[in-house]
Structures are given as structure tokens and as C-alpha cells.
Amino acid sequence: MKLKIILVFVLTAMFLSCKKEKTTPEKELNNVMSKINNKTSISYDLNYRIKYFENLDTTNLYVKTIIIKEKSDSLFGGYIWYSRKDSITDYIKYYDLNSFYIINNNRKEVIQYNPKIPIPYGFTNNFDGKLLKTYFLQGSSLKKLIQDSIYKSKVIDENGLLKLNIIYPDGDEVVNQVKEIFFDKTSNIVKQIIFKAELDNLQEYNEWNISNVNFDNYKAKDLELKFQTITKDYEFKDYQPPSKEANLPLAKGQKVIDFKGQYLSKNKSEFDLANFSNNIIILDFWYRTCPPCIKSIPQLNNIYKKYESKGVKLFGVNDIDTDSLSRALLIPFRQKEKINYPIVLTDKSISEKYKIVGYPTLYIINKDGEIEFSKLGYSENLEKEVDSILNKILK
């Protein structure tokens, strides 16, 4: 009897032990993330692929990155060495906790930035910012995504990889946003990241393919040595931010330049601004997948309807949706949004001449060919502002 009791106890203990050892994808993911978090540095190659909403083509970028963690750094959380060389460019971006450097290998030039000033767009723009988001420095932000109830997350074992699936809440315009992060639980690395989203029945797709991953192979002094070796014969310059005026639209009183384009129509008839020199002209620079541009359309329709009979000409000027696919998509978009005013397609050179630094940008041009009013960005009071200006100059 005593022997039976001991045997039952042993079997029960073994059963409980086996039960405790049973793991889940969630536990495996926590284990992988913990191991990544314990690493001090990482180097990897990255193939980044992106297809924007409005484009059929996919852009491919190839970069090499070295990141060294440093808890005391409040900006990125560590040293960053990022190099990109392709048919478009050849540069290195380096952050050593004290300064940002953009190393242009074609020009043999180094631009130095002061990180105490707002982080320069040149280091954190759309491409580069996304390329750095491989969750080596952003481990805590990934945990927040998983834990935050507004996101729906799930971990599954898929083909030997752990897939973390995160569904984002729909925005006003962008919907069906999903991120998939694939972890290799054998080598404890992030292997691939995929992000998908939809806007107006158009898809955007981002894909990070990570390879040649090595941990704890670099220290800060290694990056400093690389930097000194590469730039020893380069010219160093301090970054000079553009003047405040450089980021503003054309000012009141400035003469405008006549330009030509094509109307969005079946026969693609020519547009020539010079033909309207006897009219007050409103130009709204916009593009199809620009949310604030779309929000402005109802007010622009009202303005067009109100002032067309008074000789005011309103044109939606678009320099983005000019390829054949985008042009084709503009036709149903125009019908859907009930755009009543003419749309003119131009090239980028016109936007440069008109100092378009953001969308939408609206200009009112008087009969002397001068800027009477300019507006950058969306405004709930756009119609009232335009009414105020037109009521003065139409007298």
C-alpha cells in the first residue's frame, strides 16, 4: 500500500512537471524578446521594400546597419551607423550620442548636425526612420503594442517562426492596418516585418527582410574608428537650417510665373495660365491620396460655385498623380468626391516655382498677376478666408 502511494505521488509530480514545462507561442516570443533585449549591439543587412498607395511599382532599398545600445541616450537609445549605397545615392548616417553626421561619399562631404536642435528630417525622414524600426532599440514600444488594448495582437507558430500579428484601429482615411513580425526562435532574431494598409481602395505595402544578423560584435570605439577612417579626407560642414521664409509659400505681392499643363479630360486639352490674365485666379495644389487635400474639397466646391459667375477661375493643380495609372484613378476619384472645378496636371518644376512645401497649398492671384493670398495646409475656415479676400478685390 505504501509503495502504491509513493508511486502515485511520483507519477503525479512527473505529470505536473511536464505540464509546467509546456510552453505557448506567447511564452516563446517573450523568451526571444528577452534574449534580444539582453544584447548590447547588433549588425545586419536589410532589404526594405515599399509600395506606396498610389504607385504600382515597388521601391527596393538595401542598407547595412550597426546599432549599439546606450541607456543614457534619450534620443534613440544608442549609437547608430547606417549606410546606403545604390543607383540613387551613396551615404552613411552616423549618430555618436553627441552629433548626427551625414557622410556623402559621392561629394566626399560630411554634414554635422547638433542633436540639441530638433532632430533633422535628413536623419529621420520616411525612408530612414522606417529602416531603423527593426525593434532592437524599440523593444519596449513593441511590448506596449502587444499590451495596449486598442491593438489586437496574436502570436502563432508558423513554419518554424513565431509570427506576431498586430491589427491597428482604423483611422479616418487609412484602414485595415496590419503588421506582421516574424521571429526566428532558434537564432533569436527578428527575421522579417510586413506592414499593410489601405486608403481609398489602394494598398500600401512595407516589407523589412533582415539578414546577416550578428550580436555583440561592435563597441562605440569601433564606430568612431570607422568614421575617422572613412572621413579623413572629407570636407566637414555644419548643418545650416533653411530660413523660415524658405518653408513658406509665395508672399503677398509676389509676381507669379505663367505655366502650362493638361486638363484632366478625355482629350487631354492644354491648360495655359496666361489665358486667364484678365481673371482673378485660385490655384489649389493637391494630390489624390492627401487627406487634408480631400477634406478641403467641399469648401473649394462651394467657392467655385459661388464665384464662377463673377469671373473667378479656380483650378486644382496636381503634380503628383501624373503617370498613366494615377491619372486613370483620378477620374473615378473626381466623381466620388464630386469635384466640380477643373483639375490641371503639371510637373514638379511648377511646384518648385510656386514654393509648394506642403499640401494642400492655395493661392489667390489678382488681375495684376500677383499673389493676393496664400494658405498652406487644411483650414476649417478656408471658405470664410477666401470670401473675405475676394469680397475686397471684386469691388
Side-chain angles (χ1 to χ4, degrees), residues 155-169:
V155 185
I156 61 173
D157 197 320
E158 185 175 284
N159 300 322
L161 299 174
L162 292 171
K163 182 174 87 169
L164 172 60
N165 193 75
I166 302 171
I167 300 175
Y168 292 72

Side-chain angles (χ1 to χ4, degrees), residues 51-181:
K51 188 200 83 65
Y52 289 108
F53 291 116
E54 64 272 19
N55 293 341
L56 274 181
D57 295 334
T58 299
T59 300
N60 280 276
L61 298 177
Y62 299 90
V63 299
K64 293 181 177 291
T65 302
I66 303 168
I67 300 172
I68 302 170
K69 289 180 181 176
E70 176 51 63
K71 292 181 180 179
S72 64
D73 182 60
S74 59
L75 287 178
F76 290 107
Y79 299 80
I80 295 172
W81 181 279
Y82 159 95
S83 61
R84 175 182 162 194
K85 184 177 181 179
D86 49 43
S87 59
I88 300 172
T89 190
D90 180 3
Y91 64 73
I92 298 167
K93 295 187 177 182
Y94 174 43
Y95 174 59
D96 66 357
L97 309 190
N98 296 310
S99 294
F100 298 105
Y101 302 93
I102 297 183
I103 305 162
N104 189 316
N105 291 316
N106 291 327
R107 296 180 185 174
K108 296 190 180 301
E109 176 183 273
V110 181
I111 306 297
Q112 182 173 354
Y113 297 78
N114 181 353
K116 293 180 181 177
I117 299 170
I119 300 173
Y121 181 78
F123 202 91
T124 59
N125 64 27
N126 289 341
F127 271 150
D128 295 340
K130 287 182 178 179
L131 289 172
L132 292 171
K133 290 181 179 177
T134 51
Y135 296 108
F136 185 68
L137 290 178
Q138 299 90 10
S140 58
S141 66
L142 184 56
K143 285 185 178 180
K144 288 179 182 178
L145 275 178
I146 297 171
Q147 295 167 357
D148 197 322
S149 60
I150 70 169
Y151 305 100
K152 295 179 181 178
S153 62
K154 184 178 181 180
V155 185
I156 61 173
D157 197 320
E158 185 175 284
N159 300 322
L161 299 174
L162 292 171
K163 182 174 87 169
L164 172 60
N165 193 75
I166 302 171
I167 300 175
Y168 292 72
D170 287 344
D172 292 335
E173 287 87 19
V174 181
V175 299
N176 297 332
Q177 302 175 79
V178 179
K179 179 173 282 187
E180 299 171 332
I181 308 173

Side-chain angles (χ1 to χ4, degrees), residues 186-205:
T186 302
S187 52
N188 298 306
I189 62 170
V190 175
K191 196 169 183 65
Q192 185 183 55
I193 304 170
I194 295 172
F195 177 77
K196 295 175 280 190
E198 292 182 15
L199 170 65
D200 194 26
N201 294 321
L202 300 171
Q203 283 77 40
E204 178 162 311
Y205 181 86

Side-chain angles (χ1 to χ4, degrees), residues 22 160 162 172 198 296 360 366 391:
K22 186 178 179 181
L162 292 171
D172 292 335
E198 292 182 15
S296 299
N366 61 32
N391 287 335

